[in-house]
Amino acid sequence: MSEAIRCDNLTIGYGTHVVQSALMFSLNEGEMVCMLGPNGCGKSTLLRTLAGLQPPLGGTYRLLGVSSEKAGESSAERAKHLALVLTERLSLEHTTVHDVVAMGRYPYSSFLGGLSADDEAVIADALQQVGLQDMADTYFNNHSDGEKQRILIAKALAQQTPVILLDEPTAHLDLPNRIRTLQLLRHLAHEQGKTILISTHELDLALQLSDRILLMSDGGIQLDTAQALRARNAFTAAFKMDIFHPLYATP
């Protein structure tokens, strides 16, 4: 199994503020990894660093074999390798769902020349996968927060990248759609060979559906199967509480 992402002594943060340091881990092609940890431990910072939105404060990472130290790669070229879905409330006036998803095709298409038939097929397929195929001509701003999140996931799918990073993709979804979304992402990893890294607070679903867990805390990170992490009480140490105690069980 080939490596898709590799971090070597990576330090992340903002300006002079270090959030995590000396991160060493690698993610493989064809696996879905859920990133868990308490608020403020650096999950979103790591995603933004790997996506190239902010520079590492130290060390390096490699994306599909290309080092973060490589200069000159355009944003369009990078967007062919990696898609990022952030949790944010967007407001796009007079923009249809189709047009939002079509933005995922920009690395491959010239919007001045319009979208090709192949582009349109990719967009339709992406909407089908998130269950919004009948809403292509509706306006983005008329949808609920949960539907908007699914539209943004469809945009990432239309980008057709081998790596997808998602920050709380189920934050505004009800339980059935949370399950469907993570099952969809798992399918993309296993059936299409994509590398999926998800920051989430969905502990129960992450334990059931992820191939491995990237557990982040003030003490650093651990990357292993859910069973192995639980066996060595890693979750209790990270969250500073026994999250598997019946008191905290989902009703």
Side-chain angles (χ1 to χ4, degrees):
M1 190 176 293
S2 301
E3 285 183 347
I5 297 175
R6 181 179 184 86
C7 294
D8 292 307
N9 205 34
L10 182 67
T11 297
I12 59 174
Y14 301 87
T16 59
H17 175 63
V18 173
V19 177
Q20 290 280 354
S21 62
L23 301 180
M24 304 280 290
F25 67 89
S26 62
L27 306 181
N28 299 318
E29 295 178 357
E31 72 170 342
M32 184 175 87
V33 175
C34 287
M35 182 163 49
L36 300 171
N39 289 335
C41 67
K43 299 186 296 295
S44 295
T45 304
L46 177 58
L47 291 181
R48 295 177 66 87
T49 301
L50 294 176
L53 298 183
Q54 60 191 69
L57 302 186
T60 61
Y61 64 88
R62 300 181 70 83
L63 174 65
L64 302 175
V66 178
S67 173
S68 57
E69 296 176 329
K70 179 184 176 182
E73 185 178 46
S74 69
S75 59
E77 283 301 312
R78 188 177 188 85
K80 293 179 181 179
H81 308 316
L82 180 148
L84 174 66
V85 180
L86 296 173
T87 300
E88 53 186 349
R89 285 182 165 84
L90 294 179
S91 179
L92 299 172
E93 293 289 343
H94 310 300
T95 304
T96 66
V97 169
H98 171 279
D99 290 344
V100 173
V101 178
M103 294 176 188
R105 300 303 299 161
Y106 90 89
Y108 314 97
S109 305
S110 168
F111 284 112
L112 292 177
L115 296 166
S116 68
D118 287 342
D119 291 325
E120 293 290 359
V122 170
I123 293 166
D125 182 63
L127 286 168
Q128 176 79 32
Q129 290 189 70
V130 300
L132 296 176
Q133 62 273 16
D134 297 328
M135 301 183 182
D137 295 327
T138 61
Y139 285 112
F140 180 81
N141 274 4
N142 291 344
H143 288 275
S144 67
D145 287 339
E147 288 171 338
K148 287 179 179 178
Q149 193 71 355
R150 289 159 63 194
I151 294 165
L152 295 177
I153 292 173
K155 173 178 172 290
L157 296 180
Q159 206 169 317
Q160 292 190 312
T161 59
V163 177
I164 303 178
L165 310 180
L166 304 102
D167 191 9
E168 296 289 344
T170 60
H172 307 300
L173 303 181
D174 58 17
L175 180 59
N177 280 309
R178 294 203 303 269
I179 295 172
R180 291 188 190 103
T181 297
L182 290 183
Q183 287 178 331
L184 167 62
L185 294 170
R186 179 182 171 90
H187 173 81
L188 292 172
H190 292 181
E191 301 301 323
Q192 298 185 22
K194 295 182 184 293
T195 301
I196 311 289
L197 176 60
I198 307 167
S199 170
T200 182
H201 289 292
E202 302 282 358
L203 176 65
D204 290 346
L205 293 178
L207 296 180
Q208 293 177 49
L209 296 175
S210 64
D211 295 302
R212 291 190 290 168
I213 299 289
L214 183 63
L215 182 61
M216 184 177 289
S217 67
D218 294 340
I221 63 167
Q222 299 181 66
L223 177 60
D224 212 330
T225 63
Q227 294 85 349
L229 290 170
R230 187 170 181 179
R232 59 178 183 263
N233 294 319
F235 294 103
T236 299
F239 288 97
K240 297 181 172 59
M241 63 186 296
D242 182 5
I243 58 176
F244 298 104
H245 190 282
L247 176 65
Y248 308 116
T250 302

